[in-house]
Amino acid sequence: KSFTMSVGGYHFVTGSFTSHRSFLPDKEYGVALDNFVKGCSDMLIQNSKGQILTGKRNVHPQPDWWFVGGRMMPGESPGVSCSRLLKRELSLNVAADRFKPLCFNSMVWGMREQEPKANGTCDVNIVLTVQLSEEEASQIVLDPKEYTDSKWVAPEEMLEGSYHPALQCSVRSLLSAAKLSALQNAVGSGAEDRVVAALAKDLVGIAQTEPTLGESSYRVKNEELGYDGSVSVSKW
């Protein structure tokens, strides 16, 4: 509860709202993308071993290893959005209340799927996490229109490997959340002060680690799409 309060995670509905969304043809959707910032719900999905599922996307704007997730629909809470997207992209039925909030990122992309592709697109991605059972993990079926491959990666391996800085930043938030949970449990169970202090020190160490600002050593590369893009990181 305390962690949820520290990062937000509440869905506020003011007044009476009914969604009136409709399908937009690609041309109209492209014009819309030129004029607004999309809200996306993306997931750090963990298995029983604590490994994270990452998918190799075959479409813009990130045709490389990335979150499972996508655009939110009007009226959806992030958890409801994740539940819908998990069904669409991995063929899994996971209740919305199982998703826990982690962090959010501001994303600017140089490319997109809709024409004109080079106009790019901008997102705010809300990152949530969920842990799957072994049975659920064994039932994953990738959407071939979105992904060419997937793999389970240990958090530490993802932080040390060649992955998008936004993905790595979100993994650090996941590790911080796990350490905070351990700290809360230790305090709640009356653990010795030295145990509590060690956990608090570890938490501060993780939380204070920030991505390197400026141009990242990571590049988005996809030979099939003929794409090679740099990534720049800045504070707000």
Side-chain angles (χ1 to χ4, degrees):
K1 183 177 180 181
S2 297
F3 177 70
T4 299
M5 292 176 63
S6 71
V7 298
Y10 297 95
H11 183 61
F12 300 92
V13 179
T14 303
S16 178
F17 176 83
T18 301
S19 175
H20 296 283
R21 71 182 179 90
S22 59
F23 175 79
L24 292 178
D26 281 351
K27 183 177 181 179
E28 292 182 18
Y29 187 54
V31 173
L33 290 178
D34 288 336
N35 291 278
F36 65 67
V37 177
K38 301 191 305 298
C40 295
S41 56
D42 293 320
M43 294 163 269
L44 289 180
I45 301 168
Q46 290 188 285
N47 60 16
S48 59
K49 298 177 181 178
Q51 296 170 314
I52 298 168
L53 180 69
T54 180
K56 188 69 174 283
R57 297 182 64 85
N58 56 14
V59 294
H60 288 300
Q62 170 64 10
D64 196 7
W65 298 106
W66 192 239
F67 302 93
V68 172
R71 180 166 63 97
M72 294 176 61
M73 297 299 179
E76 286 185 328
S77 69
V80 169
S81 177
C82 284
S83 182
R84 171 182 58 81
L85 290 165
L86 211 57
K87 175 64 175 177
R88 187 191 74 182
E89 299 195 4
L90 301 185
S91 298
L92 291 179
N93 292 306
V94 177
D97 60 5
R98 287 177 57 186
F99 296 92
K100 307 300 180 185
L102 284 177
C103 62
F104 58 92
N105 301 298
S106 175
M107 313 296 304
V108 177
W109 305 100
M111 295 290 289
R112 69 189 191 200
E113 275 300 291
Q114 296 75 20
E115 297 291 349
K117 294 188 176 185
N119 277 21
T121 186
C122 300
D123 305 331
V124 171
N125 81 320
I126 303 172
V127 183
L128 298 92
T129 185
V130 66
Q131 183 167 339
L132 302 181
S133 66
E134 292 186 8
E135 181 180 1
E136 288 172 327
S138 69
Q139 295 174 346
I140 289 175
V141 179
L142 290 176
D143 180 356
K145 293 181 293 184
E146 297 277 346
Y147 303 97
T148 59
D149 198 4
S150 68
K151 60 182 178 181
W152 293 97
V153 184
E156 296 76 14
E157 181 182 345
M158 192 168 289
L159 291 177
E160 295 171 359
S162 181
Y163 294 93
H164 196 290
L167 190 54
Q168 293 176 322
C169 193
S170 299
V171 170
R172 279 191 288 270
S173 292
L174 177 67
L175 296 177
S176 293
K179 192 63 68 173
L180 177 58
S181 179
L183 176 59
Q184 290 173 324
N185 291 336
V187 172
S189 63
E192 296 180 7
D193 288 348
R194 62 179 180 82
V195 174
V196 173
L199 289 170
K201 184 177 180 180
D202 289 344
L203 174 59
V204 171
I206 297 172
Q208 288 183 336
T209 303
E210 296 184 346
T212 302
L213 301 183
E215 186 162 328
S216 171
S217 60
Y218 166 82
R219 298 185 67 89
V220 186
K221 295 183 179 182
N222 188 296
E223 293 183 1
E224 292 184 3
L225 297 179
Y227 182 63
D228 184 340
S230 62
V231 180
S232 178
V233 183
S234 63
K235 288 188 174 181
W236 291 14

